[in-house]
Amino acid sequence: MRFQLLGPLALADGPDVVVLQPSKPVILLAALLLHANSTVSADYLQRAVWGEDQPATARAALQTCVLRLRRLFTKHGVTGTSIEAVPGGYRITAGPPTLDLLGFRDQVRRATALAGDPEAELYTLKDALSLWQGSLLANVRSDVLHRDEVPRLSEERLRAVERVCDLLLGLGRCGEALVDLWTATRVYPGHERFHEQLIEALYRTGRQSQALAEYRRVKGFLLDELGVDPSPSLRQLELSILRGEDLGAGGAARAAVEPAPAPAPASTPAPAPRATSRVIQGAAVPLPATAPGAGPVPVVPHFTGREAEAAAMAARLTAPPPPGAGGQRPLTVLVSGAPGIGKSALAQHVAHLVRDSFPAGRLLVRMTRADGHPRTADEVAAEVAAALGPGRAGERALLVLDDVVDADQVRPLLTPPDLAVVVTSRMGLGGLIATHGGWVHRLTAFTEAESYALLLAALGTERVEAEPRAARRLTALCGHFPAALRILTARLLTRPGLRLGDAVDWLGDDPLARLTLTDSPDHSVSGLFDRALDRLDPRLSEALLRIGAGPPELLGEADVEDGPEGPEGRKDHPPVPEDVLEQLADAGLLEDGPPGPYRIHDLLRAHLRRTVRIRNRRTEKV
């Protein structure tokens, strides 16, 4: 039996993997495994499980959690690993064969020892990186662990990815390096080293103009978002390209991956790393140390479509106050719609369009944690106050509240008169609009023209217009769904030699399986829909599964009186109550008709049918 930490916390027995359901014992297990073979103080474990506001019975409840974990180990046949009660706390023992985090660190140390043999070092590092299986601790609902531990682990992975790309460049395998670097630079746009490697790889594969264009894009990003110039090494690389120098195998600095230091004893946990460098974990810009959920608004690459919505939002945010309002502007704008429909991208794009109207700054605040759990209004209000700071002297600021779960998260943030607010949410938030006013933009799938424009922007005119019919067929297979199109273009960018006509057959065989990034499983259409289902009330998620797997008449998409089943068919599929349909529509998972009052996107329907088939094949509940 093996514990998996480098992704959702799970137990693996050979090919069989059990992802543990979120619970307090699971938080406890994660905290112990993160400090395996060390004593973890009871105080730290209590903070990890309950946060700073612990119940009076926390110490006794911690002992109960330990007992529940021991029963979990017995249930799943975990042997050779136990939780020991030691003076001051608890300890769990593990080694590289039984804990993937220790296996990863062990492989990285082995790779460092192979520095004289680049091929062997590269193979060992790739083997280490294969242990990462998705979003870190996605099923562990602990603010303390996500604040203190996840950034540290992410940094270890990024250093290994950097070294892999350095080795590929050093071995002259620049085309292979491009596959990893296209994705890395888009997922971590604030990581200058990845951009430097990408520019070098482009230049050394004969794409000088593309390399210079990438440099200009990065330079613009750094100036716009951070107010800084590119690093000296990036500027020197541009100069070398302009001179036409032969970079060869030594063109870029080769940074070695250092072995990870032993974790600090958890009795006195190390403070979370401050975001002072240019290496940003999963964000476009560094966030203030006092406001881990709030930061400047990042640029959206290849933004296309939504012209009418963007223009209307910009006009409303910059409009003068109405007569008799005393200078007050009711500037709340709500962008709602299905998960993956492009709400955040539109809000961030508009924030850049109106930058000159908000001299006090533009701030992006993530309203949910990595596990989808909502953040509290008090927590967000404190972060916003710290990030904006005092003394704005009447200057206006723009606040983008991203992925709001309910109206109560938002209301406390709508009071300052010099603050404009853009809210993105899957929910309709009709109660918020009723009490506070504002405008609503509910997004639907792209038009055919918008989908085609996205392919042009992302893949380049030359490649798309060489096969326009195939390009349009690809957008149709994606259902003109923005998230699916983004994933598709990312996959095609890593396969520059793949004809679009061939990609049509490849994608059409199994769109749901192909619309995923293999090196980043979180970026997938199926994963997006699964996370949306997890956030629903169980009654609603069951209803949605029934709708997706059932006949069209459940949504009024066909006239059952004319169908072959007639009244008997309707008995097999009793109607879904209207209040349930309304709640699913409000959550962005059903769209307005026609043909009936509601409809469901084809990709979501396919995912729901697959989910039901998989569930029906299970013979035992894990």
Side-chain angles (χ1 to χ4, degrees):
M1 188 67 71
R2 180 182 181 87
F3 294 99
Q4 293 184 348
L5 265 178
L6 303 180
L9 182 55
L11 295 173
D13 185 7
D16 298 323
V17 178
V18 177
V19 176
L20 301 177
Q21 294 300 309
S23 65
K24 288 180 172 56
V26 167
I27 298 173
L28 173 62
L29 177 60
L32 290 169
L33 290 173
L34 286 164
H35 301 278
N37 306 313
S38 299
T39 298
V40 187
S41 73
D43 287 341
Y44 180 72
L45 292 173
Q46 288 168 205
R47 288 200 306 276
V49 174
W50 287 281
E52 301 303 329
D53 298 326
Q54 301 171 24
T57 58
R59 185 60 61 99
L62 182 65
Q63 295 172 354
T64 301
C65 285
V66 171
L67 292 175
R68 289 175 62 187
L69 271 185
R70 288 171 175 160
R71 287 198 292 268
L72 181 72
F73 286 8
T74 301
K75 173 184 176 182
H76 291 287
V78 176
T79 58
T81 299
S82 61
I83 301 173
E84 305 172 72
V86 296
Y90 294 90
R91 179 176 61 210
I92 194 170
T93 54
T98 56
L99 177 57
D100 60 356
L101 174 60
L102 298 182
F104 169 77
R105 288 172 174 166
D106 184 60
Q107 287 289 81
V108 168
R109 280 190 287 268
R110 291 172 184 267
T112 303
L114 295 169
D117 185 347
E119 288 283 3
E121 183 183 359
L122 177 63
Y123 177 84
T124 305
L125 278 177
K126 285 194 169 187
D127 191 42
L129 287 168
S130 70
L131 296 173
W132 291 73
Q133 299 294 323
S135 182
L136 281 170
L137 305 184
N139 55 337
V140 178
R141 295 177 177 172
S142 168
D143 292 342
V144 171
L145 297 184
H146 281 277
R147 181 194 67 205
D148 296 347
E149 304 296 343
V150 168
R152 226 186 315 271
L153 294 181
S154 297
E155 180 65 22
E156 290 185 47
R157 178 180 178 274
L158 283 181
R159 292 165 67 193
V161 174
E162 279 185 24
R163 182 57 181 164
V164 164
C165 294
D166 276 336
L167 288 166
L168 289 170
L169 293 174
L171 291 166
R173 292 155 61 177
C174 300
E176 187 177 341
L178 281 172
V179 174
D180 293 327
L181 289 168
W182 278 121
T183 299
T185 53
R186 273 52 186 175
V187 175
Y188 303 101
H191 196 307
E192 281 189 77
R193 180 68 188 131
F194 285 148
H195 291 291
E196 186 179 339
Q197 292 170 319
L198 175 60
I199 291 167
E200 180 186 344
L202 287 168
Y203 176 64
R204 289 174 58 190
T205 52
R207 306 184 207 179
Q208 180 179 9
S209 61
Q210 207 170 347
L212 291 171
E214 181 69 14
Y215 174 82
R216 288 192 296 271
R217 193 186 70 80
V218 175
K219 180 180 180 180
F221 168 80
L222 293 172
L223 288 172
D224 287 345
E225 295 305 314
L226 304 179
V228 298
D229 291 318
S231 63
S233 58
L234 257 177
R235 295 199 299 271
Q236 180 58 48
L237 179 58
E238 182 209 23
L239 187 60
S240 297
I241 293 173
L242 290 171
R243 290 172 175 170
E245 295 177 2
D246 182 8
L247 297 181
R254 308 294 178 217
V257 176
E258 301 171 11
S267 55
T268 311
R274 295 174 61 90
T276 54
S277 75
R278 298 188 184 207
V279 180
I280 315 303
Q281 310 300 332
V285 286
L287 307 181
T290 56
V297 181
V299 175
V300 181
H302 307 307
F303 184 86
T304 56
R306 311 293 190 200
E307 293 182 4
E309 293 92 342
M313 286 176 63
R316 285 165 178 162
L317 290 169
T318 58
Q328 302 287 327
R329 298 175 174 89
L331 293 180
T332 301
V333 176
L334 169 63
V335 183
S336 64
I341 206 67
K343 303 179 293 294
S344 301
L346 175 61
Q348 292 170 30
H349 177 67
V350 171
H352 282 274
L353 293 180
V354 300
R355 68 176 69 188
D356 293 340
S357 297
F358 297 94
R362 295 156 294 123
L363 194 66
L364 175 68
V365 184
R366 309 290 186 188
M367 300 298 286
T368 54
R369 300 181 175 88
D371 61 359
H373 196 67
R375 303 172 67 211
T376 65
D378 290 343
E379 174 189 1
V380 173
E383 289 182 359
V384 170
L388 291 177
R392 282 185 279 151
E395 291 187 336
R396 300 172 64 213
L398 176 63
L399 192 61
V400 179
L401 304 179
D402 191 42
D403 199 14
V404 168
V405 175
D406 58 51
D408 289 338
Q409 280 187 299
V410 180
R411 289 191 175 101
L413 302 171
L414 302 181
T415 52
D418 55 353
L419 192 64
V421 180
V422 175
V423 174
T424 77
S425 178
R426 300 175 186 182
M427 309 302 295
L429 301 185
L432 178 69
I433 299 301
T435 57
H436 287 72
W439 294 273
V440 178
H441 296 273
R442 189 163 183 88
L443 303 185
T444 58
F446 275 162
T447 64
E448 292 184 18
E450 287 174 327
S451 298
Y452 191 78
L454 176 58
L455 260 61
L456 286 172
L459 302 178
T461 303
E462 181 178 352
R463 187 176 183 187
V464 173
E465 294 198 341
E467 301 177 79
R469 286 189 178 182
R472 296 185 194 283
R473 179 60 182 147
L474 286 172
T475 65
L477 287 169
C478 290
H480 306 291
F481 196 68
L485 290 165
R486 291 283 181 186
I487 293 169
L488 171 68
T489 54
R491 295 209 67 173
L492 292 175
L493 281 169
T494 64
R495 291 167 171 78
L498 179 65
R499 292 180 61 256
L500 300 188
D502 295 332
V504 169
D505 296 332
W506 164 77
L507 180 61
D509 285 344
D510 192 347
L512 285 176
R514 303 283 159 76
L515 289 171
T516 184
L517 301 180
T518 54
D519 63 336
S520 183
D522 275 356
H523 291 79
S524 73
V525 169
S526 289
L528 179 74
F529 291 148
D530 277 335
R531 290 189 293 274
L533 283 169
D534 289 342
R535 284 170 63 167
L536 284 178
D537 178 278
R539 181 178 70 104
L540 294 179
S541 62
E542 284 300 317
L544 185 62
L545 286 167
R546 181 175 154 226
I547 291 168
E553 52 262 31
L554 282 178
L555 289 179
E557 294 178 329
D559 187 351
V560 294
E561 298 294 343
D562 297 333
E565 294 184 357
E568 293 182 2
R570 290 199 300 277
K571 291 178 183 177
D572 293 337
H573 300 283
V576 178
E578 185 173 353
D579 69 308
V580 172
L581 295 174
E582 276 295 298
Q583 291 178 70
L584 290 172
D586 191 58
L589 295 168
L590 294 182
E591 304 170 2
D592 295 334
Y598 308 97
R599 58 188 168 86
I600 190 168
H601 193 279
D602 289 343
L603 283 177
L604 177 55
R605 187 188 291 278
H607 174 74
L608 294 172
R609 286 177 171 170
R610 174 173 291 187
T611 301
V612 170
R613 286 198 302 270
I614 293 172
R615 189 170 67 175
N616 289 342
R617 284 201 300 267
R618 291 176 180 164
T619 56
E620 109 181 74
K621 183 178 179 182
V622 175

